[in-house]
């Protein structure tokens, strides 16, 4: 009997805990107290800290995996002025990529499922908890915060049709039309040359945008974290903004590059595209050309003293363990017998000459000690 | 003009005067609002977050609808040209929305809804010699047409120039001002403007909660707002409170101290009644004092 009770207790406790500390929750790099007021929040009583909270907790998802279109008709019957909104969710998800991503709208969303707005924002405007806007206010604030910035049109009809008589017109843009709308592909610049007249020793900074994405493999959002729609879509002329601080100006580059040596970026002439061979003396061919920079350069900013010695990155090897095939040459029977150093006299980064054993005309690369496969 | 008989008027006036002198005996330094004007700790208010207002003017429309004023077609409120000149609330519109440039975001205008502030120490209440104005328990400052004698002292006294007079009307002209939708809130409904606002620029709640909410917002978003809750202390505090990213004085808000505006006029006015100085002499004197007080406010502004 006792064991049964004990088992029941264990079961009960684990059920409660299983609910309260979800798998995903425990992985969050935030203090529980950011969202929960009590020590042991449960599903039934999550004791949430009122919004707005100091920290944003959110989920991340690919726009492709998100719903195409969402129909907002929560206020049916509550107001007879306007009809429902057909919201092109996926289009907006794509657009948000460079301006904070999902978090732009889905703030304070613990990992797991996306919680809908109505889970936090009350439908009734007359309510006890006024710390966060009601549902209607929340929707409108989200939409209009951006819309009013890139367009002066805050007219109700740009999102929902006015109801003249109950049951009459449908929204201007139908669901299927909305579904098809996607953000046109953003055309990426190749090169940008910034004038930095303030710095006399080098008044030009050449920035190869394409290298950073294609060569260094950065995502758009690695740098563009907080762009507003208005950055591209503003209908107004750009106004001169106040000069940002030195730190702010260098912030983006400095997140990867060492900015101590000004002249490495500020030059008197436009710089040619990056060439690993010219810049370092180590030409990237075959295998190395395909690698991402960070495969060898493990830490950004500081140069760790990498040189051309293979053992910088590769495990030391011996003739027994090394499969010569990976170099593109399968050694013939005779040559497999030698020690590595018999041919690679100086270093592995220098191609071997064969004159230690052979006549000059039988030397590499005219003659190959086996079969070339690449 | 007035519905009130002369006898009744004198009776009320004497009562108002007597009670007020009673009050000033208890607190000789500062005169409080008349005793029937309770200042409940649970009084309601509205927090106006001008940084989210989109200038749709639906609040104007709803306000008129709720007060049987000609409201017109809702679409006519989309006309941008309305913002070309600054408007004031008047007898045809108890609230108006004006447009100002935003300091830190030049392309996103700031819209500002104006109406009665529902002061905690209302100058209109003090100025009204017949007690037609009163501050209600829920925070509203309302006007009672059956008591009004049409002297229009309230108009002069109000630091926000809110009460308007129906000059057009020959018969029974009324003082018109936002009444915080007293009739609606009595029925448990929200004020009409609060109810319709699409972005909830207007948050209705207990004044103390609203101040807490406003302080929280100022703390969390210091870049978004000027560090100021207008109405928290102005003229002794108001039920309607404002947050903005602009300087309030640049949006035609008067620069006001924390001292209640009616302080001066009230004690003198009630004092006069206590000694039964004839109403005519009183009118002249009070008018003069109002004038001086107003000009004093003005010179403080400059
Ligand atoms: S307060 Fe609300 S209803 Fe009034 S103009 Fe602003 S957004 Fe529109
Ligand atoms: S704003 Fe003017 S009318 Fe409104 S309560 Fe204050 S003094 Fe009275
Ligand atoms: S509270 Fe009522 S009377 Fe005052 S402005 Fe709003 S709708 Fe008009």
């Amino acid at each position: 009997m006792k064991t049964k009770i004990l088992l029941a207790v264990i079961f009960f406790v684990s059920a409660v805990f299983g609910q309260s500390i979800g798998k995903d929750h425990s992985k969050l790099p935030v203090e529980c107290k950011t969202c929960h007021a009590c020590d042991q929040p449960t599903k039934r009583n999550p004791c949430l800290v009122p919004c707005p909270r100091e920290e944003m907790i959110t989920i991340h998802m690919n726009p492709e995996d998100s719903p195409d279109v969402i129909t907002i008709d929560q206020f049916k019957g509550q107001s007879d002025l306007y009809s429902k909104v057909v919201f092109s969710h996926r289009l907006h998800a794509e657009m948000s990529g460079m301006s904070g991503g999902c978090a732009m709208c889905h703030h304070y969303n613990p990992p797991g499922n996306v919680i809908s707005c109505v889970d936090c924002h009350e439908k009734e405007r007359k309510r006890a908890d006024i710390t966060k806007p009601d549902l209607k206010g929340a929707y409108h604030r989200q939409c209009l915060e951006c819309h009013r910035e890139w367009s002066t049109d805050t007219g109700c009809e740009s999102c929902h049709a006015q109801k003249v008589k109950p049951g009459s017109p449908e929204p201007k843009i139908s669901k299927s039309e909305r579904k098809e709308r996607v953000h046109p592909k953003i055309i990426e610049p190749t090169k940008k040359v910034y004038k930095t007249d303030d710095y006399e020793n080098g008044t030009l900074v050449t920035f190869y945008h394409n290298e950073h994405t294609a060569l260094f493999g950065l995502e758009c959002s690695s740098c563009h974290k907080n762009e507003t729609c208005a950055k591209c879509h503003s209908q107004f002329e750009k106004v001169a903004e106040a000069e940002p601080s030195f730190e702010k100006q260098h912030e983006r580059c400095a997140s990867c590059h060492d900015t101590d040596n000004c002249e490495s970026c500020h030059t008197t002439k436009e710089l040619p595209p990056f060439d690993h061979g010219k810049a370092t003396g180590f030409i990237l061919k075959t295998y190395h050309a395909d690698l991402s920079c960070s495969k060898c350069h493990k830490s950004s900013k500081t140069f760790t003293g990498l040189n051309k010695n293979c053992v910088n990155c590769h495990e030391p090897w011996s003739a027994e363990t090394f499969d010569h095939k990976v170099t593109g040459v399968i050694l013939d029977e005779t040559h497999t017998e030698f020690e590595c150093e018999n041919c690679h006299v100086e270093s592995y980064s220098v191609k071997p000459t064969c004159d230690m054993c052979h006549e000059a005309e039988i030397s590499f690369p005219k003659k190959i000690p086996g079969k070339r496969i690449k | 003009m007035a519905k009130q008989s002369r006898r009744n008027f004198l009776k009320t006036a004497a009562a108002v005067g007597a009670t007020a002198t009673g009050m000033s005996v208890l607190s000789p330094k500062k005169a409080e609002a008349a005793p029937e004007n309770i200042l409940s700790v649970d009084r309601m208010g509205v927090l106006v977050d001008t940084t989210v207002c989109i200038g749709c003017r639906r609040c104007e429309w709803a306000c008129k609808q709720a007060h049987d004023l000609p409201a017109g077609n809702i679409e006519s409120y989309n006309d941008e040209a309305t913002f070309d000149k600054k408007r004031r609330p008047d007898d045809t519109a108890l609230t108006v929305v004006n447009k100002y440039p935003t300091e830190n975001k030049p392309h996103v205008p700031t819209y500002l809804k104006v109406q009665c502030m529902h002061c905690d120490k209302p100058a209109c209440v003090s100025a009204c010699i017949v007690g037609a104005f009163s501050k209600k328990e829920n925070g509203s400052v309302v006007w009672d047409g059956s008591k009004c004698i049409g002297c229009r002292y309230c108009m002069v006294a109000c630091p926000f120039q809110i009460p308007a007079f129906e000059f057009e009307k020959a018969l029974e002209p009324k003082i018109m001002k936002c009444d915080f939708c007293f009739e609606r809130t009595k029925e448990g409904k929200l004020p009409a403007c609060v109810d319709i606002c699409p972005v909830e620029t207007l948050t209705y709640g207990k004044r103390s909660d609203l101040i807490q909410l406003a302080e929280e917002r100022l703390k969390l978003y210091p870049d978004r707002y000027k560090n100021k809750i207008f109405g928290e202390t102005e003229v002794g505090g108001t039920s309607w409170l404002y947050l903005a990213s602009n300087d309030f004085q640049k949006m035609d808000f008067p620069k006001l101290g924390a001292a209640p505006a009616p302080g001066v006029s009230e004690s003198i006015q009630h004092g006069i009644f206590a000694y039964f100085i004839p109403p005519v002499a009183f009118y002249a004197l009070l008018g003069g004092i109002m004038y001086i007080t107003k000009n004093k406010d003005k010179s403080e502004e400059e």
Side-chain angles (χ1 to χ4, degrees), chain B residues 48 52-60 83 97 111-113 193 196-202:
Chain B
V48 186
V52 296
C53 175
I54 53 165
C56 68
R57 298 178 54 224
R58 295 301 185 265
C59 47
E60 290 186 28
F83 294 117
V97 180
Y111 296 97
L112 183 85
K113 178 185 180 297
C193 54
I196 201 167
C197 177
V199 286
E200 207 180 36
T201 300
L202 316 165

Side-chain angles (χ1 to χ4, degrees), chain A residues 82 125 127 134 140-141 148, chain B residues 58 109 194 197-200:
Chain A
Y82 294 96
R125 181 151 290 181
R127 60 200 190 276
D134 74 334
H140 282 108
R141 285 190 193 188
R148 63 191 299 219
Chain B
R58 295 301 185 265
V194 172
C197 177
V199 286
E200 207 180 36

Side-chain angles (χ1 to χ4, degrees), chain A residues 51-54 56 81-82 108 125-128 130-134 136-138 140-141 144-145 148-149 152 154-157 162 234 236-239, chain B residues 51-54 58 61 74-75 78 105-109 111 188-190 194-201 203-205 209-210 213 217 219-221 224:
Chain A
C51 291
R53 298 188 190 121
E54 311 221 2
M56 287 239 184
L81 290 174
Y82 294 96
Y108 317 121
R125 181 151 290 181
K126 193 158 188 272
R127 60 200 190 276
I130 49 166
T131 53
K132 45 191 186 290
D134 74 334
K136 192 190 264 183
H140 282 108
R141 285 190 193 188
L144 288 157
E145 186 86 10
R148 63 191 299 219
E149 212 168 280
T152 48
T154 50
C156 312
E157 283 81 11
Q162 196 185 337
S234 182
F236 314 97
E237 265 180 42
K238 283 234 154 43
V239 275
Chain B
T51 66
V52 296
C53 175
I54 53 165
R58 295 301 185 265
W61 179 82
I74 199 162
E75 274 149 280
N78 295 347
K105 266 193 191 169
H107 298 317
V108 182
Y111 296 97
K189 286 194 215 155
L190 286 170
V194 172
D195 198 25
I196 201 167
C197 177
V199 286
E200 207 180 36
T201 300
T203 308
Y204 179 78
D209 291 348
L210 293 174
L213 175 65
R217 295 196 69 85
K219 198 180 92 198
L220 277 182
Y221 310 106
R224 191 180 175 108

Side-chain angles (χ1 to χ4, degrees), chain A residues 150-164:
Chain A
W150 61 269
S151 140
T152 48
D153 184 12
T154 50
C156 312
E157 283 81 11
S158 53
C159 295
H160 37 65
Q162 196 185 337
K163 271 190 196 164
V164 184

Side-chain angles (χ1 to χ4, degrees), chain B residues 59 62-63 66-67 94-95 113 115 118 177-181 191-194 240:
Chain B
C59 47
C63 178
H67 291 81
L94 309 184
T95 181
K113 178 185 180 297
Q115 73 297 306
H118 299 276
K177 77 164 198 70
C178 155
D179 61 356
F180 209 167
C181 284
C193 54
V194 172
W240 281 60

